Amino acid sequence: MNEDKLRDYLKWVTGDLAQTRQRLRELETAQQEPIAIVAMGCRFPGGVQSPEQLWELLAGGGDALGGFPDDRGWDLGALFDDDPDRSGTTYTRVGGFLDGVADFDAELFGVSPREALAMDPQQRLLLETAWETFERAGLDPKRLRGSATGVFIGTNGQEYLNLLTRAEENVEGYLGTGNAASVVSGRISYTFGLEGPALTVDTACSASLVALHLAATALRRGECSLAVAGGATVMSTPGVFVEFARQRGLAPDGRCKAFSDNADGTGWGEGVGLLLLERLSDAQRHGHPILAVVKGSAVNQDGASNGLTAPNGPAQQRVIRAALSAAGVAATEVDAVEAHGTGTALGDPIEAQALLATYGQGREPGRPLWLGSIKSNIGHTQAAAGVAGIMKMVLAMRAGALPATLHVSRPSSHVDWSGGAVELLTEHRPWPAAEHPRRAGVSSFGISGTNAHIILEEAPAAEPAEVHRAVLPVAPRPVSAHSAAALDAQVAAVRALDADPVDVGFALATTRAQFDLRAVLLGEALVRGEVREGRSAMLFTGQGAQRAGMGRRLYGAFPVFAASYDAVCDRIDGLREADDLDQTRWTQPALFAFEVAVFRLLESWGLTPDFLLGHSIGELAAAHVACGISTGRAGLWRRVAV
C-alpha cells in the first residue's frame, strides 16, 4: 500500500470512528432522557374520580375506607366472623372500595351490552380512565388512532370470571377476551387504535411501577412516542380478604398503619391509575403539559430469600441504588419517599431499615428524608398501589406540600430510627423549594419478590407564554356527548367547575373529543343542538373592515398565518411599511393579505367550506383561495359568488 492510499485509509477510519462516537453519545443521551408525565387519570376509594379530588383527600387528611359494597352480589351475611380460623370468612369489615364499578358507558366505546357484561370491570374502568387521561393532556382520543402509542398496564388478578360462570345471562363468546389478562392492555390499544407495544404486567403489588419502568424504557428506545402506564385492581370477589384472614395478615379495622408502632396488618383497597408519558424533549416541543418527570427507575428480584412472600432488605437497597444511578442523582438530593408501607409488623421495619441505609446517610442536619404512605388514606390498592404513590408525589410536588401519613400512634419501635436521617410524616407539612428541584422516590414490592423504585423530579420551569385573553360579556362553554344522559352529565360537571369560564371554554373547545350532541353554556343559560349534515360557506368582506394592527397576534402565534401573510406581502411593494390603512391603495391589499392568511389558518385546522362568497376585495380573496383548494373540491371556483 503506497503512502497516499494509507493516508486516505486513515482519514476514512478516523471519520468513521468519529461518526461511531457521535452515534454512541446520542444513544447514551437517549437512554438517560427524562420521561415527562403529561397527564394523569384515576379512580380511587372515597369517590375519587380525578387527580384533583385525590389531592383534596390527601391534603385534608382524609380516610377513604368504609364498609363492604352491597352491589356486587357478595353474601355479606355469611362473610364476616371474628374468628380468624373460620373458613370462608374475614374478620375485617372495612376496605377501600370504588363506587359504581358496574357503571359503564358501553356505547361510547363501541361495546355491545352482552360484551360489556362479560368484560372484567377492570377493563371497563381502564377504558374510561384512559379516555380522560388523553383529554387531560389536551389530546382528542379519537385522533390517536394509528399512532405509535404504547400501553403498559399492571394487574394482579382476574376474578370476574368466577362470577360469570354463575350468571344467568348468556355471555358466551365474550368470556375469553373479557377476562384475559393480555386484554387488560390490549383492549385499550384496540379501542383507541394505538399501535405501540401493549403489555400486561403481573408482579402483584409492584405491577404498576414495573409497567411504568417498561414504558419509560420503550419511550427511550423509540418503540413508542407516547405511552399509557399504570395499573388497576377491582375486587370482583372478597377472596383476597378471606385468604389474608387465614394468614392473620389483615388489620382488624381495615387500615394500614404504615411504619407505626401499632401496625397490625394490611388493609385492602382497589383503584385505577393511569399516567400518560412522553419523552421530555417531545413534550416540550409539542407544548404538552408537564406535571413531573421520571428521572430514573429500576426493577429487581428478591431471589432465594427468607420466604416467597417475605420482603428482602438487601434487595430493596439494591433496587433503590440502581434507580438513583439511573437518575444520575445522589440519595441526599431526594427529599421524600412514598414507601410501600403496607402496615405489616414484618414488612415495614425491613423497608424502613433499607431506606435508612440508602437515603438516610450523609444528609445535612435539619434535612431528613420524609417518609409516607398513601395506603393509610385509601388502603393497599394492590396493582394500582405503585401508581397511586406516583400520583400522590406528583401532586405534592406541584402543591409544595407533603401530606400526613394517617393512623400512626408513634414511629415503629422495631426500627432503629437513629441509624439515619429518615422521619415519618405524621403531619401535613410544607415542601419548600431548595437549591435542587423537588425530588421523590416511590417504592413498590410484589408478593412474588419483584421490587421497583422510581425517582421523580418536579417539572422544569416553563417559558412564560404571552397570553391574550378575550374580553367577553359572557364566556361560552361548549360541551358535547354521544348521548343525552352523557350530555346532561357533562353540563352538570362544567357548571360545578370553580375556574375561569374563558379558560374552561377554551379547553372544552380545543382539547376534547367532539360528538354530535352539543350544548353551550352562556352564563346560566343553556343552548342545546345536534350536528346535522349540511353545507358550509365563508364570506370575505370588503373595504371598511380594516383596522390598524389587525392580524398582529395571529401572525405571532400561528406560523401558517404568518407564512401566508408573508407570501402576499412579498408580492406587493410597500405593504409591510404602510402606515395608513384608510388609504384605499393600502386598504384593499391589506385586507386581501389578512383574509387569505385567515383562510389558510382555518384550512390548516380542517375547516374548509363548500361555498365561498366575497364582496369587493373579498371577491378576489375568495377567488384566490378557491384556486388553491385541493382536487377533491374541484369546481369550487365556479361557486364563488359576489
Side-chain angles (χ1 to χ4, degrees):
M1 179 181 291
N2 61 38
E3 186 175 332
D4 289 339
K5 288 184 178 181
L6 178 60
R7 186 181 299 109
D8 290 341
Y9 177 75
L10 290 175
K11 287 180 179 179
W12 176 81
V13 170
T14 302
D16 190 59
L17 287 174
Q19 292 179 358
T20 301
R21 284 195 296 268
Q22 178 63 25
R23 287 195 294 268
L24 287 173
R25 282 193 296 267
E26 291 173 353
L27 180 61
E28 184 179 358
T29 300
Q31 294 304 311
Q32 295 175 344
E33 181 174 6
I35 299 299
I37 299 173
V38 299
M40 304 189 298
C42 65
R43 299 282 192 278
F44 286 116
V48 169
Q49 303 282 314
S50 68
E52 292 80 10
Q53 291 179 351
L54 178 61
W55 180 247
E56 184 178 355
L57 175 76
L58 297 172
D63 180 342
L65 280 75
F68 279 44
D70 58 6
D71 61 350
R72 303 191 189 183
W74 299 354
D75 186 357
L76 300 182
L79 181 60
F80 304 119
D81 197 297
D82 292 334
D83 182 358
D85 292 321
R86 180 71 176 273
S87 178
T89 67
T90 175
Y91 53 83
T92 297
R93 292 168 169 79
V94 171
F97 298 100
L98 297 180
D99 297 335
V101 295
D103 300 336
F104 179 58
D105 193 345
E107 184 181 352
L108 174 63
F109 298 101
V111 176
S112 71
R114 284 184 63 239
E115 185 175 10
L117 181 61
M119 286 170 59
D120 190 317
Q122 296 171 142
Q123 292 188 25
R124 304 179 210 151
L125 288 169
L126 281 166
L127 285 178
E128 293 180 348
T129 308
W131 182 290
E132 295 170 7
T133 304
F134 290 135
E135 288 195 330
R136 282 178 167 271
L139 300 172
D140 181 347
K142 295 188 292 185
R143 295 191 176 185
L144 289 171
R145 186 168 299 277
S147 67
T149 300
V151 180
F152 302 80
I153 303 297
T155 184
N156 70 323
Q158 284 69 50
E159 304 174 304
Y160 187 61
L161 187 60
N162 296 334
L163 297 182
L164 290 176
T165 56
R166 302 193 300 270
E168 296 179 0
E169 297 86 349
N170 180 9
V171 290
E172 291 178 354
Y174 294 117
L175 291 174
T177 56
N179 296 272
S182 62
V183 182
V184 171
S185 58
R187 176 83 66 175
I188 297 174
S189 296
Y190 170 79
T191 301
F192 294 102
L194 312 178
E195 297 181 1
L199 284 74
T200 304
V201 179
D202 186 354
T203 59
C205 308
S206 60
S208 57
L209 285 199
V210 174
L212 172 55
H213 171 77
L214 294 173
T217 301
L219 284 165
R220 293 188 180 108
R221 289 172 56 88
E223 295 171 353
C224 51
S225 55
L226 283 171
V228 179
T233 289
V234 176
M235 293 177 282
S236 296
T237 76
V240 68
F241 286 95
V242 173
E243 177 66 15
F244 271 70
R246 297 294 78 73
Q247 298 178 21
R248 291 161 172 79
L250 296 176
D253 63 358
R255 288 168 171 83
C256 297
K257 307 167 186 68
F259 305 104
S260 177
D261 208 38
N262 62 337
D264 55 358
T266 198
W268 291 125
E270 50 190 17
V272 178
L274 291 179
L275 312 171
L276 186 60
L277 308 173
E278 190 174 22
R279 288 183 294 272
L280 178 59
S281 58
D282 289 344
Q284 291 170 326
R285 185 173 68 256
H286 296 148
H288 292 158
I290 300 174
L291 307 181
V293 296
V294 178
K295 286 285 287 184
S297 61
V299 172
N300 75 356
Q301 236 285 337
D302 288 346
S305 58
N306 62 338
L308 176 62
T309 63
N312 183 287
Q316 292 177 19
Q317 292 184 40
R318 289 194 298 271
V319 79
I320 290 170
R321 292 192 174 104
L324 288 167
S325 176
V329 300
T332 54
E333 296 176 314
V334 175
D335 306 312
V337 164
E338 171 63 20
H340 191 56
T342 60
T344 61
L346 173 64
D348 283 7
I350 292 175
E351 182 177 8
Q353 294 296 160
L355 292 169
L356 285 161
T358 50
Y359 283 109
Q361 307 304 308
R363 304 186 73 89
E364 294 179 11
R367 296 193 58 182
L369 177 86
W370 294 104
L371 178 62
S373 175
I374 193 175
K375 294 179 180 66
S376 68
N377 302 93
I378 61 175
H380 187 342
T381 54
Q382 305 172 68
V387 71
I390 294 285
M391 295 178 72
K392 171 186 171 180
M393 298 316 292
V394 170
L395 294 166
M397 280 190 248
R398 296 177 67 79
L402 289 163
T405 295
L406 310 182
H407 317 304
V408 177
S409 60
R410 64 171 183 169
S412 174
S413 58
H414 299 289
V415 176
D416 180 9
W417 297 99
S418 67
V422 175
E423 291 191 23
L424 191 57
L425 280 160
T426 55
E427 61 182 21
H428 189 90
R429 62 176 296 112
W431 190 355
E435 64 273 10
H436 64 254
R438 294 182 181 92
R439 295 193 185 100
V442 182
S443 288
S444 260
F445 312 129
I447 197 171
S448 62
T450 299
N451 309 306
H453 193 73
I454 308 291
I455 305 296
L456 295 175
E457 183 176 286
E458 67 179 326
E463 290 281 336
E466 185 180 4
V467 178
H468 302 291
R469 298 183 60 79
V471 179
L472 302 171
V474 179
R477 290 169 290 171
V479 295
S480 71
H482 71 98
S483 69
L487 187 65
D488 290 340
Q490 289 284 342
V491 170
V494 172
R495 286 191 190 279
L497 288 174
D498 182 18
D500 188 299
V502 175
D503 291 339
V504 172
F506 180 79
L508 290 169
T510 61
T511 67
R512 305 294 297 271
Q514 299 299 319
F515 296 94
D516 287 348
L517 294 182
R518 309 275 175 94
V520 176
L521 282 86
L522 295 166
E524 293 301 316
L526 179 68
V527 180
R528 291 176 178 266
E530 184 174 354
V531 174
R532 297 178 181 175
E533 290 188 5
R535 294 184 175 183
S536 61
M538 288 185 184
L539 172 64
F540 293 78
T541 187
Q543 190 165 339
Q546 74 277 3
R547 64 176 177 84
M550 63 182 181
R552 181 176 294 136
R553 292 177 179 176
L554 292 174
Y555 187 96
F558 299 105
V560 171
F561 180 96
S564 178
Y565 191 85
D566 287 342
V568 176
C569 289
D570 289 344
R571 292 174 174 266
I572 304 176
D573 292 340
L575 180 56
R576 292 183 189 278
E577 296 77 26
D579 57 3
D580 187 359
L581 289 186
D582 291 329
Q583 292 186 35
T584 300
R585 62 178 297 205
W586 299 124
T587 302
Q588 297 204 355
L591 281 172
F592 180 88
F594 174 77
E595 291 178 345
V596 169
V598 168
F599 180 87
R600 295 303 181 208
L601 179 60
L602 295 173
E603 184 182 46
S604 73
W605 293 338
L607 298 174
T608 53
D610 296 285
F611 298 95
L612 293 173
L613 298 92
H615 169 69
S616 183
I617 189 63
E619 179 182 0
L620 297 182
H624 173 75
V625 299
C627 290
I629 297 296
S630 68
T631 54
R633 292 192 173 273
L636 184 60
W637 167 258
R638 295 191 296 274
R639 290 182 236 157
V640 176
V642 178

